[in-house]
Amino acid sequence: MTTDRDASAAVPTRAARGVPTARRVDHMALTVPDLDDAVDFTVRVLGGELVYRLPPLAHDDDWMREHLDVHPRAAAEIALVRLGPTTNFELFAYSSPDHKASPPRPHDVGSTHLGLYVTDVDAAVAAVRERGPWHPYGPVRTTPAGHPAAGTRWVRVTTPWGMPLELRAAPASLPYERHTPARRFGPCERWSNRDEGSATADPLPGARNVDHLSYTVADLDAAEAFFTRVLGAELLYRATADLTDPALAQALGVPPGGTLHQAALRMGPTDTVELNHYPHPGTRRDWPRNSDVGGNHLALYVDDVDAAAAYLAGQPGCTMLATPETIPAGPLAGDRWVYVRTGIGLYVEVVHMPDGSLPYERDTPARRRTAHSTRWWDR
């Protein structure tokens, strides 16, 4: 791999703007083909903790289309898994007259994957194999010299939802750090699904935290600009990879040929986002709908949902779905939220939950990762 442009030319500055009152990424959401299988994988294989499963969501009017941008007769099952010290992972399984049942491929626009930080990639891969019929795409690889993250060891493995999971370990310092004060998040001291750090799961060997969330985008410049100028992310570095190397293409799960262009971004106090652009012809160009397998959204925790939603809706290419509403009853009563469809295709949710007084908390000691007193620029 080689750098996409000279690292000194990519020194980021903090965004002049950002989502008003945003504190952190609240959750990452993914639509899966089977909710039971996905919960089992994230809990039993990865060491997460099930926080709640909601009653089936369906309406006999136009609510599903207006609020979630899906077919009016679609129905959804929803679960939330606490995945380590910093991450809420929301899982959807839809039945819908018009949804796509096959997941996007890694090079399709809108495809997403999670990366976990582990101290020993080989031991983590062995544990994934032992815990189910999951296997790596290829051998563990080391990012070569000349790349902003040189020395990083990584591998992608299969999952029950058909898109990869990445396992990653990095040296104490990375080359890009010589050119910017911005840093990737982590690693945390230890894996825990409770804010106080108590052990509640059997994580993969050496697992510390979710390392990154990755999206495949149609236009890397436009996606980077949206994340930095609108959402308030910090650019860490940009890089390229030569996909004419068939072994690298196999490790990524993409066809050989062309060049991968990537941007890595710090996203608030506890998250890193990677944006990937693949040049392959014949790829899906439209972001998956929420009801499609592989559909996804990114949720931000904000203090003022209405102000945040109005700000996003005012950005070029963005459309707010319906209007903000507060859930009146049930396990998440008091949750105020709304979705925004963005110009790059990604759905962004802004949410404010009264953590500490949500009804689901009466029935389980498991808890969402809350915002507490964190602020967007806390490091």
Side-chain angles (χ1 to χ4, degrees):
M1 296 184 188
T2 59
T3 54
D4 184 48
R5 59 190 186 206
D6 184 83
S8 63
V11 175
T13 57
R14 290 189 175 181
R17 304 185 69 183
V19 178
T21 75
R23 289 178 176 265
R24 66 182 299 269
V25 171
D26 182 78
H27 62 266
M28 308 165 183
L30 179 66
T31 298
V32 298
D34 186 286
L35 193 61
D36 291 334
D37 288 347
V39 169
D40 175 72
F41 182 81
T42 52
V43 172
R44 182 181 58 82
V45 178
L46 301 185
E49 183 176 23
L50 179 64
V51 178
Y52 55 73
R53 285 186 70 153
L54 301 179
L57 177 65
H59 287 261
D60 58 8
D61 55 13
D62 218 26
W63 190 95
M64 297 292 285
R65 182 189 62 79
E66 292 173 348
H67 290 78
L68 302 178
D69 202 18
V70 299
H71 192 282
R73 300 288 78 79
E77 298 179 87
I78 306 169
L80 186 94
V81 174
R82 174 74 177 263
L83 197 58
T86 60
T87 303
N88 299 315
F89 192 26
E90 190 173 49
L91 298 165
F92 286 73
Y94 274 91
S95 61
S96 177
D98 63 351
H99 85 296
K100 294 177 181 175
S102 59
R105 299 161 298 181
H107 52 292
D108 286 329
V109 170
S111 180
T112 184
H113 75 257
L114 284 176
L116 299 189
Y117 190 100
V118 297
T119 57
D120 188 331
V121 177
D122 300 278
V125 170
V128 168
R129 287 183 180 272
E130 292 172 358
R131 297 180 185 189
W134 318 113
H135 57 83
Y137 283 33
V140 176
R141 299 180 64 91
T142 300
T143 305
H147 189 280
T152 299
R153 301 189 75 237
W154 62 275
V155 68
R156 290 185 178 182
V157 300
T158 58
T159 68
W161 47 80
M163 290 178 286
L165 171 80
E166 189 168 312
L167 305 173
R168 174 181 292 195
S173 62
L174 293 170
Y176 83 87
E177 296 171 0
R178 297 193 295 265
H179 306 287
T180 173
R183 295 292 184 269
R184 297 178 70 97
F185 173 74
C188 294
E189 183 177 349
R190 64 194 296 261
W191 181 279
S192 173
N193 296 314
R194 302 290 174 83
D195 291 351
E196 79 280 4
S198 61
T200 58
D202 180 21
L204 293 175
R208 296 293 182 84
N209 52 268
V210 169
D211 177 77
H212 65 273
L213 174 65
S214 176
Y215 294 108
T216 299
V217 298
D219 183 324
L220 187 61
D221 291 336
E224 179 194 313
F226 177 78
F227 269 85
T228 56
R229 298 174 188 173
V230 177
L231 298 185
E234 289 179 276
L235 176 65
L236 301 171
Y237 56 82
R238 288 184 72 157
T240 62
D242 181 6
L243 298 179
T244 61
D245 175 359
L248 176 59
Q250 177 186 346
L252 293 169
V254 303
T259 302
L260 162 65
H261 294 261
Q262 183 182 82
L265 309 165
R266 179 65 181 264
M267 186 71 176
T270 57
D271 293 279
T272 301
V273 168
E274 292 182 353
L275 303 174
N276 297 315
H277 173 71
Y278 296 91
H280 302 295
T283 61
R284 295 185 192 175
R285 307 301 296 172
D286 296 325
W287 206 279
R289 297 178 68 187
N290 288 311
S291 55
D292 294 336
V293 171
N296 54 78
H297 70 261
L298 181 66
L300 306 183
Y301 188 98
V302 300
D303 291 333
D304 187 332
V305 170
D306 297 76
Y311 163 78
L312 287 172
Q315 303 303 313
C318 291
T319 303
M320 182 162 54
L321 304 185
T323 57
E325 67 173 47
T326 302
I327 297 176
L332 299 182
D335 171 19
R336 188 161 180 80
W337 66 280
V338 71
Y339 280 21
V340 175
R341 184 175 58 245
T342 72
I344 65 170
L346 174 70
Y347 292 87
V348 173
E349 180 183 5
V350 287
V351 59
H352 182 88
M353 288 194 178
D355 291 295
S357 60
L358 287 164
Y360 86 82
E361 298 168 356
R362 296 194 293 262
D363 302 316
T364 175
R367 293 292 184 270
R368 292 172 11 92
R369 173 61 161 86
T370 64
H372 296 303
S373 59
T374 57
R375 298 291 179 180
W376 188 259
W377 293 110
D378 288 348
R379 297 293 183 264

